[in-house]
Amino acid sequence: NAGVTQTPKFRILKIGQSMTLQCAQDMNHNYMYWYRQDPGMGLKLIYYSVGAGITDKGEVPNGYNVSRSTTEDFPLRLELAAPSQTSVYFCASTIAGDIYNEQFFGPGTRLTVL
Amino acid sequence: GENVEQHPSTLSVQEGDSAVIKCTYSDSASNYFPWYKQELGKRPQLIIDIRSNVGEKKDQRIAVTLNKTAKHFSLHITETQPEDSAVYFCAASKRGYGGSQGNLIFGKGTKLSVKP
């Protein structure tokens, strides 16, 4: 199993540009998450999904959108990039979010908005 | 909502010494407390977790203790080694409640440096 994969690893965007961060998992997990990690600030939840077709906002959803058309994929969309969105983005998954199961993280995407 | 405070933000110890990282949480209904280790440039990885019906859990050199009354939990690393150097995150959630309540709320992290 590849586990949780993310692409790209690095990206530099100009203010106002758009992009999609890709996330995929091959563990048949139904719960998936997007976090952002700013220096010294821990991990903040952006959006999460409990299954295909179901998504919901986390702590910091403004400026982002998600979709979940399949169990495997959970892309994160930035429509109008702003410098405040410079961060490291992690995707994670777990088999079920409401019982005591480990969340597995992807390798992360480092995004810089200039 | 839940709030998790983590201290200290940085911790430096000599190899072989013990390290302790402490977290407090605000929601008394939280019942699951994992700890993640993140090496430089890598993804967070679960190292140990504890449920609210347990007061202490050990795994080799790592232990976690939970005080539900005081709403705090701690990570203890004994006989530290240079490879323990990393950022450690605590988290809390309410498992079994469903929906967003099961989501993890993370502390801000502790950067542990183990000097040879």
Side-chain angles (χ1 to χ4, degrees), chain B residues 90-109:
Chain B
C90 63
S93 75
K94 294 185 286 189
R95 294 301 162 99
Y97 285 70
S100 64
Q101 296 182 92
N103 292 337
L104 291 173
I105 303 299
F106 286 87
K108 292 184 178 180

Side-chain angles (χ1 to χ4, degrees), chain A residues 1-73:
Chain A
N1 286 351
V4 182
T5 58
Q6 293 182 239
T7 57
K9 290 184 179 180
F10 305 95
R11 183 72 185 268
I12 298 175
L13 283 181
K14 295 182 179 180
I15 294 172
Q17 287 186 320
S18 301
M19 75 164 295
T20 299
L21 283 67
Q22 301 291 344
C23 173
Q25 52 85 18
D26 61 359
M27 299 176 281
N28 203 31
H29 286 173
N30 46 356
Y31 280 63
M32 297 187 73
Y33 308 84
W34 274 106
Y35 295 92
R36 60 177 288 171
Q37 183 177 33
D38 300 320
M41 293 299 293
L43 292 147
K44 295 289 187 182
L45 182 65
I46 305 171
Y47 270 95
Y48 69 101
S49 169
V50 303
I54 307 169
T55 63
D56 207 347
K57 296 178 180 179
E59 301 171 82
V60 290
N62 291 346
Y64 307 94
N65 276 300
V66 293
S67 59
R68 182 98 181 269
S69 56
T70 67
T71 299
E72 294 77 21
D73 300 297

Side-chain angles (χ1 to χ4, degrees), chain B residues 1-85:
Chain B
E2 176 65 280
N3 183 52
V4 177
E5 299 283 341
Q6 183 171 349
H7 299 279
S9 56
T10 59
L11 179 60
S12 183
V13 300
Q14 288 294 130
E15 182 177 359
D17 287 350
S18 295
V20 181
I21 302 170
K22 298 181 180 180
C23 289
T24 60
Y25 60 99
S26 60
D27 191 338
S28 57
S30 289
N31 56 13
Y32 175 64
F33 308 93
W35 286 87
Y36 283 81
K37 176 183 181 181
Q38 186 180 28
E39 297 176 355
L40 187 62
K42 299 291 181 63
R43 73 191 78 189
Q45 291 191 294
L46 180 72
I47 54 170
I48 195 167
D49 56 16
I50 192 167
R51 306 177 190 182
S52 60
N53 60 348
V54 176
E56 183 175 2
K57 184 177 179 181
K58 288 184 179 180
D59 183 3
Q60 299 182 345
R61 296 185 298 108
I62 293 173
V64 57
T65 58
L66 170 65
N67 184 325
K68 285 191 295 182
T69 302
K71 290 189 284 187
H72 67 71
F73 56 111
S74 301
L75 177 70
H76 305 254
I77 306 174
T78 58
E79 301 172 19
T80 54
Q81 301 167 2
E83 51 265 39
D84 294 329
S85 296

